[in-house]
């Protein structure tokens, strides 16, 4: 839906996906006919993204942070952050967005989280995790609290407005390996426990998956979408 809206603004829109990681979102946008930039501060991720993106000549890579992208003034129809805006200095990142965005261009923040409200399989894993590490502090809680500020932030920012907030829950088929890889990407848990406990947690996740054999895993995707004056 957001891509269609951007295409209504410009027939051949140019985007920047900031905090692009290894390029999954940037390449998905390229598949939908957009041309643009994958901006990523981590040089190792840029290297992987460039290697994966040899079939995507319409996506150019920039090794830079969101606060200082190096892109030219007023050249983009769409600037988006995909699960990366929370890593930035918000005021500096938004100032950079307004610098590189054309008048009437769009700015979008998107993210996704595992569904810990309606997915019984993932709720079971979280309960087991709490039993294993009762004092564990999850990064999810402050992250969710920050997301609740995004709509007001974009509506109140000069030259931005009419922010719409979107959310959907989707059931995704995943193998045990895919789900373990998803868990292995967490940073908040291994930073608080020993390597041995972290290994035990991953073994618990794998064992629970093997026992329950879930047909799908539920995730919740959210977006905050605003247009420049």
């Amino acid at each position: 839906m957001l891509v269609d809206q951007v295409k209504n603004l410009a027939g051949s829109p140019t985007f920047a996906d900031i905090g692009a990681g290894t390029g999954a979102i940037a390449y998905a946008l390229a598949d939908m006919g957009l041309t643009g930039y994958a901006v990523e501060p981590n040089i190792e991720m840029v290297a992987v993204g460039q290697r994966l993106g040899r079939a995507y000549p319409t996506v150019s890579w920039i090794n830079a942070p969101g606060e200082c992208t190096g892109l030219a003034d007023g050249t983009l129809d769409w600037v988006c952050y995909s699960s990366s805006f929370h890593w930035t200095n918000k005021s500096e990142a938004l100032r950079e967005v307004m610098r590189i965005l054309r008048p009437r261009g769009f700015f979008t923040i998107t993210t996704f989280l595992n569904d810990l409200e309606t997915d019984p399989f993932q709720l079971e894993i979280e309960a087991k995790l709490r039993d294993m590490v009762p004092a564990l502090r999850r990064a999810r809680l402050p992250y969710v609290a920050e997301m609740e500020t995004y709509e007001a932030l974009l509506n109140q920012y000069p030259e931005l407005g009419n922010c719409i907030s979107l959310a959907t829950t989707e059931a995704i088929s995943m193998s045990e390996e895919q789900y373990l890889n998803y868990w292995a990407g967490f940073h908040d848990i291994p930073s608080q426990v020993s390597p041995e406990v972290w290994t035990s947690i991953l073994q618990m996740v794998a064992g629970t998956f093997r026992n329950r054999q879930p047909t799908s895993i539920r995730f919740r995707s959210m977006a905050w979408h605003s247009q420049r004056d």
Side-chain angles (χ1 to χ4, degrees):
M1 186 190 79
L2 298 179
V3 168
D4 287 343
Q5 187 176 26
V6 173
K7 284 185 173 179
N8 285 334
L9 173 72
S12 301
T14 302
F15 72 88
D17 179 31
I18 301 181
T22 57
I25 297 297
Y27 295 144
L29 294 177
D31 282 335
M32 289 184 273
L34 279 67
T35 299
Y37 301 90
V39 182
E40 169 56 47
N42 185 292
I43 188 62
E44 289 83 5
M45 286 192 173
V46 171
V48 174
Q50 288 176 324
R51 187 166 65 250
L52 295 173
R54 289 169 182 160
Y56 292 94
T58 59
V59 176
S60 300
W61 280 86
I62 298 175
N63 179 210
E67 297 88 343
C68 185
T69 64
L71 290 162
D73 293 357
T75 54
L76 300 176
D77 301 296
W78 194 11
V79 177
C80 48
Y81 276 83
S82 304
S83 298
S84 55
F85 190 67
H86 61 289
W87 293 112
T88 68
N89 177 301
K90 307 298 178 296
S91 60
E92 293 181 13
L94 282 169
R95 191 180 305 118
E96 179 72 352
V97 167
M98 300 305 291
R99 184 186 69 79
I100 60 181
L101 198 61
R102 289 178 178 142
R104 308 303 298 162
F106 292 99
F107 173 57
T108 306
I109 304 169
T110 68
T111 192
F112 77 97
L113 293 168
N114 52 334
D115 180 6
L116 296 183
E117 296 179 7
T118 66
D119 189 334
F121 168 68
Q122 296 192 98
L123 287 169
E124 179 181 347
I125 287 180
E126 288 295 316
K128 290 180 177 179
L129 177 62
R130 289 294 176 189
D131 289 340
M132 295 176 70
V133 192
L136 184 68
R137 300 181 308 278
R138 298 302 303 273
R140 177 190 180 98
L141 295 178
Y143 181 32
V144 170
E146 179 178 319
M147 289 189 299
E148 293 175 352
T149 69
Y150 287 164
E151 186 171 358
L153 175 66
L154 299 190
N155 272 326
Q156 295 168 8
Y157 197 83
E159 296 186 70
L160 280 176
N162 299 318
C163 176
I164 58 173
S165 177
L166 308 169
T168 185
T169 301
E170 186 175 10
I172 300 176
S173 297
M174 299 181 78
S175 66
E176 179 183 328
E177 180 182 8
Q178 288 172 322
Y179 191 59
L180 278 176
N181 285 339
Y182 166 71
W183 264 82
F186 288 178
H187 299 291
D188 58 334
I189 301 174
S191 66
Q192 299 177 62
V193 301
S194 68
E196 293 77 16
V197 171
W198 177 229
T199 298
S200 297
I201 289 171
L202 294 178
Q203 289 172 344
M204 175 272 291
V205 172
T208 306
F209 193 103
R210 209 168 296 126
N211 290 334
R212 295 299 185 189
Q213 291 293 310
T215 57
S216 62
I217 310 293
R218 295 177 67 84
F219 290 89
R220 187 156 180 81
S221 298
M222 290 152 281
W224 296 265
H225 183 67
S226 191
Q227 188 171 22
R228 182 176 181 176
D229 293 342

